[in-house]
Amino acid sequence: MNAITRLATAVSLASLFPLTALAADSKGTVEVVHWWTSGGEAAAVKVLRELVEKDGYTWKDSAVAGGAGSAAMTVLKTRVVSGNPPGAAQIKGPDLQEWGALDLLAPLDDVAKANNWDGLLSKTVANTMKYDGHYVAVPVNIHRVNWLWINPAVFKKAGIDKAPTTLDELYAAGDKLKAAGFTPLAHGGQPWQDSTVFEGLVLGIMGAEGYHKAFVENDEATLTSPKMTEVFTALKKLSTYMDDNRAGRDWNLATAEVIDGKAGMQIMGDWAKSEWTAAGKVAGKDYQCVPMPGTAGSYTYNIDSMAMFKLKNEGDIAAQHDLARIALEPEFQYVFNQNKGSIPVRSDLDMSKFDSCAQASMKDFQAADKAGKLEPSMAHSMATNLAVQGAIFDVVTNFMADKNADPSKAGAQMAAAIKSAQ
Ligand code: BGC
């Protein structure tokens, strides 16, 4: 059974007619399911809430903690299966197609037309937001995933004078940090975090083309190639720079270790920057952002978007449309993205208002787009459906948990796991 059929079966067990919540006031309510719960993320989503409330609508916050959103997606499915969908939910990438196929998402074409979304968004972004040619979600940002975050003060103490650009330099920095008593690579032990590091290695070792074949096409020859053995060998090596007690640790706690000077580096998407910003730290001074070693010139993107569910109450529908309209307004795009660590999803804004990491991200996004090196993040649900992603996560996390795992066997395990998830 493929992912769409699985979701459809679950949903068909319940009424497809949502229980329309009574709006708390006459103007309408939008309930929003999202997973932005870290300090920096909460500061970012507050911007959206305040703008919706300023327009006289009620924001019902349904945050579900859990990095990368798998807990939020489980809650969302349960809500929909019981006939009680929220007005809006953070749904991303190919998953939008699956929800769209169930005919549960409200088209946003009127808002899109009135606000020129086609003119404002790049084709890559616009296409991701459309199901069957209709907008079913509004994008709020673009995150870059292939970043390495560095605490330069810690580097200095460990005698490292430059940011690593290759894997060998990364290992050398790791050795020096370890010798100086620091955790070289801060990391939380959760499958999506493991796969965030893994996909960075795939990009670095196999290039954008190999990455595409592995994660977008799920090409068996690529998944089982000697290059994939090299990737797993590197993953094993990188794990030796992570703290052994990391099981279950949230990503923002790992970021805090770098901010607090206990660890030297973290491989993480630029939502990590939201924590640095919330801690009052300045890009280029208190911390450095560089492409994950080996991946300069390539860009793994992760677009956050809000999808709207079909509702009946006119006021609540108006609230959904208001949220969708606000999300692309410059006022929101500037402040939200400065807090979130991402870059604006529209390309006509003044990037001088952003810090050096965001400016580099925008420049690299546009260059990678031109060079055909813009790739959707697998770990952040942009490259495959969630069933295939789950299969990859399992193989990667089991591999990292088993010190005796054989790098030359992991690729074949992954190819088999993907096949049975398809
Ligand atoms: C989302 C980000 C979020 C991060 C950590 C990513 O998948 O796109 O918006 O900050 O997960 O939860």
Side-chain angles (χ1 to χ4, degrees), residues 128-150:
T128 311
M129 299 304 129
K130 289 180 183 173
Y131 172 73
D132 201 17
H134 301 282
Y135 278 101
V136 291
V138 60
V140 292
N141 63 1
I142 299 170
H143 274 301
R144 182 183 201 175
V145 182
N146 58 317
W147 279 122
L148 176 74
W149 303 90
I150 294 172

Side-chain angles (χ1 to χ4, degrees), residues 89-401:
Q90 196 182 343
I91 302 179
K92 309 194 307 185
D95 207 23
L96 283 166
Q97 303 304 313
E98 307 209 345
W99 286 101
L102 296 174
D103 203 21
L104 293 170
L105 300 183
L108 295 171
D109 294 328
D110 290 350
V111 189
K113 208 162 181 205
N115 296 282
N116 188 28
W117 289 9
D118 276 339
L120 291 175
L121 301 173
S122 77
K123 276 245 146 34
T124 308
V125 178
N127 290 343
T128 311
M129 299 304 129
K130 289 180 183 173
Y131 172 73
D132 201 17
H134 301 282
Y135 278 101
V136 291
V138 60
V140 292
N141 63 1
I142 299 170
H143 274 301
R144 182 183 201 175
V145 182
N146 58 317
W147 279 122
L148 176 74
W149 303 90
I150 294 172
N151 182 326
V154 173
F155 261 40
K156 202 164 173 214
K157 284 185 195 152
I160 310 162
D161 52 15
K162 95 181 228 319
T165 57
T166 63
L167 281 179
D168 283 339
E169 286 175 12
L170 180 63
Y171 303 147
D175 290 336
K176 285 194 171 169
L177 287 161
K178 206 185 257 182
F182 297 103
T183 300
L185 201 54
H187 189 71
Q190 293 171 341
W192 71 271
Q193 295 188 56
D194 296 342
S195 279
T196 297
V197 173
F198 172 69
E199 75 171 30
L201 288 171
V202 170
L203 187 66
I205 292 172
M206 305 177 99
E209 209 175 302
Y211 179 101
H212 197 86
K213 278 200 157 12
F215 294 138
V216 180
E217 296 171 18
N218 299 145
D219 173 55
E220 193 170 341
T222 307
L223 292 166
T224 56
S225 64
K227 282 268 172 212
M228 193 54 95
T229 302
E230 226 180 276
V231 169
F232 277 102
T233 307
L235 185 62
K236 193 168 228 172
K237 173 99 180 151
L238 273 192
S239 310
T240 65
Y241 298 109
M242 299 171 184
D243 143 31
D244 278 340
N245 300 318
R246 62 184 186 270
R249 181 184 297 143
D250 287 324
W251 66 272
N252 52 315
L253 299 182
T255 307
E257 290 176 12
V258 190
I259 298 176
D260 295 343
K262 295 193 180 90
M265 313 178 275
Q266 182 183 23
I267 294 168
M268 188 48 68
D270 44 21
W271 47 92
K273 199 175 63 158
S274 73
E275 296 305 294
W276 289 91
T277 305
K281 307 290 185 188
V282 177
K285 177 174 156 267
D286 302 313
Y287 64 96
Q288 265 182 289
C289 56
V290 294
M292 155 92 180
T295 71
S298 296
Y299 191 113
T300 36
Y301 66 86
N302 170 23
I303 307 163
D304 284 313
S305 48
M306 289 288 171
M308 309 293 162
F309 281 86
K310 284 186 176 164
L311 299 179
K312 291 201 169 142
N313 180 295
E314 292 291 328
D316 296 347
I317 294 170
Q320 290 178 318
H321 289 179
D322 191 58
L323 189 160
R325 183 190 56 77
I326 287 170
L328 281 191
E329 289 290 295
E331 185 185 9
F332 170 76
Q333 285 288 316
Y334 279 121
V335 188
F336 174 79
N337 285 303
Q338 281 160 355
N339 282 308
K340 188 73 176 66
S342 38
I343 56 170
V345 76
R346 46 191 289 176
S347 46
D348 60 339
L349 299 185
D350 176 7
M351 287 308 291
S352 71
K353 295 189 180 189
F354 286 84
D355 64 29
S356 54
C357 296
Q359 287 177 14
S361 179
M362 181 61 99
K363 209 169 131 246
D364 292 353
F365 178 84
Q366 287 165 349
D369 200 5
K370 264 199 200 125
K373 290 181 170 188
L374 201 54
E375 291 296 334
S377 166
M378 178 279 296
H380 296 279
S381 318
M382 302 302 299
T384 68
N385 66 39
L386 298 185
V388 169
Q389 182 200 50
I392 300 173
F393 279 14
D394 284 350
V395 173
V396 171
T397 291
N398 289 339
F399 177 86
M400 285 177 77

Side-chain angles (χ1 to χ4, degrees), residues 61-77:
D61 198 67
S62 288
V64 182
S70 70
M73 288 303 101
T74 305
V75 168
L76 182 64
K77 279 177 197 153

